[in-house]
Structure formats: C-alpha cells, structure tokens
Amino acid sequence: MSFESLGLMPELLRAVREQGYETPTPIQAQAIPIVLEGRDLMGRAQTGTGKTAGFTLPLLQRLAPHASTSASPARHPIRALILTPTRELAMQVEESVRTYGRHIPLRSTTIFGGVNINPQTKALRAGVEILVATPGRLLDHQQQGNLNFSQLEVVILDEADRMLDMGFIRDIRKIIALLPTQRQTLLFSATFTDEIKQLAGAFLKNPALVEVTPRNTAAELVRQIVHPVDRERKRALLAHLIQSRGLEQVLVFTRTKHGANRLSEQLDKDGISSMAIHGNKSQPQRIKALEEFKKGSVRVLVATDIAARGLDIDQLPHVVNYELPQVPEDYIHRIGRTGRAGSEGEAFSLVCVDEHKLLRDIEKLLRKDLPKQVVTGYAPDPSIPAEPIENGRQGGRVGGGRPGGRRPGGNGASSPRSRPGVRGK
Ligand code: AMP
C-alpha cells in the first residue's frame, strides 16, 4: 500500500514525502479513499494512529479545486470546520493542515478561548478556508457576527468522545445547526459509546465505518516503563541507565530549553557524549547535532518537544522522558519516535513526585496504566514533598497562543529533511 495508490494529488504526495512518511497507516489507508469520495465517515482511532493525516490529506484534496491565491476575503470563504476538545489539539491539527497543505494555497487558522479574540477576528475577516476550533470560542465568534458558514462543505469532529466528556454536547449541537445540511461530516472518536453513536445518528448521513484496533498505535507497539525517582536524582539515574545498559542513540526529552542545555552539559561531564537541540539553536547548529547523533558520535540527543517536531528522526531504539510533557498528547508524539512499523522500541519515563498528575493525565489518554519499576538504589524518598512544576511551556505556546499559529522549529519547510536511517541495530 502506498500513498500514491490512495488517489492523492501530487501536491499532497509531495508534502507527505517531505514528512518522510513511506506507507499510510491503517486508518489512513481506510479513511482517505472514503473521504475523497465525499462520504460521511465515522472513525474509531486514537491519537498515535495517524488519524490527523487520515482526515487532513483528503480534506485538502476536496478543497484544492477552488483554492485561490487572491488576496480578496471573498475568495476565501469558510469551507471546512474541524472541532477539537482542546486548544492543544487544535494547534496540532492546524499544524498538520499547514504541513500537508503547504503546496496548496488554502488558508487555515485556529480559534480557541483563553487568548485575545481580536487577532482571531482579524484572521476571520481576512478570509480563511479551514477553521480549527474549540466549541466555546467558536460560538463567541458566531455571536459577534464573525462567521459565515454558507459555503461550508466539510465538518470534522475530532476526539468526539473527549468533547462529550468535557461537556461540549450542547455547543456542538448549536454549531452543527449553523451549518448547511448539504455537507460532508466526519467524526473521530477513540470509543464508540452509545452517546457517540447517538451523535453520529443525528449528524452523519449513511456513514462509512472505519476502525483501527488500538494495537496499531505507537502506544501499543512501544515498550513503556516508568521509573519513579527523586527530582534531584534523575540525572544520576539517567546516566546509570545509559551506562549500565549500554544504550546508544538515546533521544531524551525535557520540558524546557534551559533544562535541555543543562542536562546535556551534565551528561557530557558524566562522560556521555550529548548535544541539546531546541528552539534557540540556529538551523546549522541543529543540523550538526542531528548529524552527529545519526553518525553515532553523539550518544544522547536532548530535545524539547517543539524542537523535536521539526526533526526527521524516528525508529530510534530508545526514547527517554526525562521530564513528562505538560500536554499528554506530546507523550504520544515523543514515544512515536521509537518502535514504528513494528520495530522494537522502548520508551522510559523518569517520574518524580511533582509529576504524578501529568502521569495520570497520560495514563488517562492511553486508557491504561503504565508499568512502574523502581531501579535499585534510586527508590524515591517518600518524605520529599511535591513542588510546582517550572513552567515548561515555551515561547509561543504560553496561554495556548502563538503568533501566526506556527511553532518555532515546527514541521516547517526549513526543517532538515534528509532520511536518516538512524536505527542502529
Ligand atoms: P496522529 O495520530 O494523527 O496524532 O499521528 C501520530 C504521529 O504519527 C504523528 O507524529 C504523525 O506525524 C505520524 N504519522 C502520521 N502518519 C504517518 C505515516 N504514514 N507514517 C509515519 N508516521 C506518520
């Protein structure tokens, strides 16, 4: 199975190639042809299955025929709406829209609460074809008269079960009532509960059903383990694990740029060659770090989530969460760097008392508990109290907004795109 055989247009095939994807994931293989046909679809798939590309690619193709380079707002009516439960997911989905749509002149923007409404209003007035929105703020814009859905062709409910869990059902009903009845509707959900089926019954017309078993997700393929440890002893434990297990090509995640630098310097002092890669590093510095890592002359690459998004590396033997991410979905993206396509992969997380809530959020998203294993000599001291976590969100992500809606060092055209083939042994 190839992306070509799914009937995608050359502009999209090019973007997919630039992402380094070789074969469609099961959800992509099933969903893309159905969405291209214009049918409604109900998809059961979790984060980590590639579902975002599964709906974004065919959506872009459906909208491409009337894409326009004109500056006139009238040439850029709202043609697609993607509803998500959280601002983080909205940002990630819109990033995918931009990444896969980079060779097609369609505009997209995110709409979510907790940030100033004015820049969003301005973006809407300028004209935008693809809106990625959380329900509450979308309705605020509706009340302010900023939205015209008369040209809408496609609506996508992403993570519909989470939207229901978060109490968005009434908002969703209100939003759907604003849309033309003649439209394509896609609904994605990790579970098909009765409530979800009811929702689908109300809004979808004769939908095709697509399901992927959770086994296909990175989260299932990767061996994951949590090592509880004290905050101050994480570095020693990491060095111990790398040395005692003879680990090579280890990708280590920290929450902050500062943390990445500090850890990388300390590992070097411990005799473990390491480099940090994050948003403050110049492009040549990043490329150099990546090359050294791929060659094996640098054993550990310490990265922040944002920097890692622009890196074309996967199928690494080991990923380490030195610090858990603030956003649970980032955990899935991190561990997706290992164990792809059935290859063996291992992700371990060093978790201190401050991070228990983050761990619970991740386990909730995964719908399973992760095995915990105390490493001999590194048992946490139960008398150490939890401390608030240093704000790990970076630059543009504070408060969920980022200028221009793009992450620094994100999946932009400027990322190094060479195929690494870094899987060691
Ligand atoms: P998602 O489930 O949409 O959140 O995607 C999970 C991860 O899989 C993301 O990091 C994508 O970049 C990646 N991904 C999506 N499709 C493919 C593919 N066909 N091959 C390899 N990686 C993919």
Side-chain angles (χ1 to χ4, degrees):
M1 174 67 69
S2 67
F3 281 101
E4 282 77 5
S5 66
L6 294 175
L8 291 173
M9 61 200 286
E11 290 84 347
L12 293 171
L13 292 173
R14 191 170 148 207
V16 162
R17 248 193 330 270
E18 285 162 354
Q19 280 309 102
Y21 302 165
E22 280 156 16
T23 38
T25 66
I27 189 86
Q28 290 164 1
Q30 295 177 67
I32 290 173
I34 294 169
V35 181
L36 286 179
E37 266 179 44
R39 280 194 69 182
D40 282 6
L41 179 138
M42 192 167 165
R44 190 162 75 92
Q46 288 170 286
T47 296
T49 53
K51 73 174 157 69
T52 316
F55 63 74
T56 305
L57 289 166
L59 171 71
L60 288 162
Q61 181 148 334
R62 303 257 308 146
L63 302 184
H66 295 114
S68 166
T69 51
S70 158
S72 161
R75 299 297 301 274
H76 301 277
I78 300 171
R79 299 175 59 203
L81 171 65
I82 304 172
L83 287 175
T84 71
T86 62
R87 66 175 71 174
E88 284 81 14
L89 188 63
M91 287 195 291
Q92 284 175 10
V93 168
E94 202 239 358
E95 189 173 284
S96 296
V97 170
R98 285 178 187 246
T99 301
Y100 306 131
R102 67 162 74 115
H103 306 301
I104 302 173
L106 288 165
R107 299 181 184 172
S108 61
T109 196
T110 48
I111 298 288
F112 47 72
V115 293
N116 189 337
I117 198 164
N118 297 333
Q120 298 177 354
T121 305
K122 219 172 130 198
L124 290 172
R125 298 236 163 108
V128 56
E129 282 91 353
I130 303 169
L131 272 191
V132 188
T134 54
R137 179 56 71 88
L138 190 78
L139 287 171
D140 294 343
H141 280 285
Q142 166 65 18
Q143 268 167 4
Q144 296 195 6
N146 298 337
L147 300 171
N148 175 353
F149 287 121
S150 61
Q151 308 286 309
L152 183 117
E153 296 163 53
V154 188
V155 59
I156 301 170
L157 305 174
D158 193 14
E159 302 204 353
D161 48 350
R162 277 178 85 200
M163 289 203 273
L164 295 187
D165 285 350
M166 291 169 73
F168 284 136
I169 182 69
R170 286 188 56 205
D171 287 352
I172 293 173
R173 286 185 191 283
K174 276 191 216 160
I175 292 166
I176 301 276
L178 301 170
L179 309 179
T181 48
Q182 188 70 17
R183 56 159 203 267
Q184 184 176 21
T185 308
L186 316 178
L187 178 150
F188 289 86
S189 177
T191 53
F192 281 169
T193 57
D194 287 346
E195 227 184 338
I196 291 287
K197 286 181 195 150
Q198 264 174 20
L199 194 72
F203 301 136
L204 279 69
K205 287 186 198 133
N206 185 25
L209 205 66
V210 164
E211 299 187 60
V212 294
T213 58
R215 289 198 184 288
N216 291 323
T217 65
E220 294 290 325
L221 286 171
V222 176
R223 245 190 343 269
Q224 300 164 70
I225 195 150
V226 169
H227 295 307
V229 61
D230 288 331
R231 185 188 315 118
E232 304 298 334
R233 300 201 67 207
K234 280 191 177 185
R235 180 182 56 89
L237 175 56
L238 178 63
H240 168 75
L241 291 172
I242 291 173
Q243 304 280 34
S244 64
R245 298 184 188 174
L247 306 184
E248 301 289 339
Q249 278 190 329
V250 190
L251 179 62
V252 177
F253 284 96
T254 60
R255 275 191 296 266
T256 65
K257 298 178 226 184
H258 178 60
N261 279 338
R262 204 171 39 199
L263 178 62
S264 168
E265 282 162 20
Q266 287 166 335
L267 286 173
D268 262 339
K269 283 190 193 134
D270 291 336
I272 298 170
S273 59
S274 156
M275 281 180 119
I277 197 155
H278 53 64
N280 284 3
K281 299 264 176 176
S282 68
Q283 193 66 4
Q285 282 174 321
R286 291 193 208 191
I287 291 171
K288 178 160 185 292
L290 194 61
E291 278 171 0
E292 300 290 320
F293 183 59
K294 287 184 208 165
K295 273 197 322 218
S297 49
V298 163
R299 197 165 172 188
V300 177
L301 193 64
V302 188
T304 57
D305 291 287
I306 290 170
R309 288 195 175 231
L311 298 182
D312 188 15
I313 40 169
D314 57 22
Q315 308 214 337
L316 291 169
H318 316 283
V319 166
V320 179
N321 295 300
Y322 186 75
E323 292 162 331
L324 290 182
Q326 299 271 15
V327 178
E329 282 83 359
D330 281 342
Y331 175 87
I332 296 191
H333 289 288
R334 288 178 177 189
I335 68 166
R337 299 294 183 159
T338 178
R340 286 216 172 138
S343 59
E344 293 247 314
E346 182 185 49
F348 52 92
S349 303
L350 309 186
V351 177
C352 71
V353 63
D354 312 340
E355 301 174 300
H356 286 175
K357 161 120 186 17
L358 298 180
L359 180 61
R360 277 198 304 277
D361 289 345
I362 289 164
E363 292 181 328
K364 220 168 122 191
L365 181 68
L366 296 172
R367 291 167 204 274
K368 67 171 185 185
D369 286 345
L370 294 173
K372 323 278 179 312
Q373 191 189 79
V374 172
V375 179
T376 313
Y378 293 87
D381 174 353
S383 69
I384 296 178
E387 283 181 14
I389 288 175
E390 175 188 355
N391 188 350
R393 294 189 177 200
Q394 314 206 343
R397 287 182 86 187
V398 173
R402 55 195 154 108
R406 203 135 172 79
R407 284 180 196 190
N411 286 337
S414 58
S415 327
R417 288 260 69 101
S418 56
R419 282 307 293 164
V422 280
R423 178 140 181 88
K425 28 204 147 337

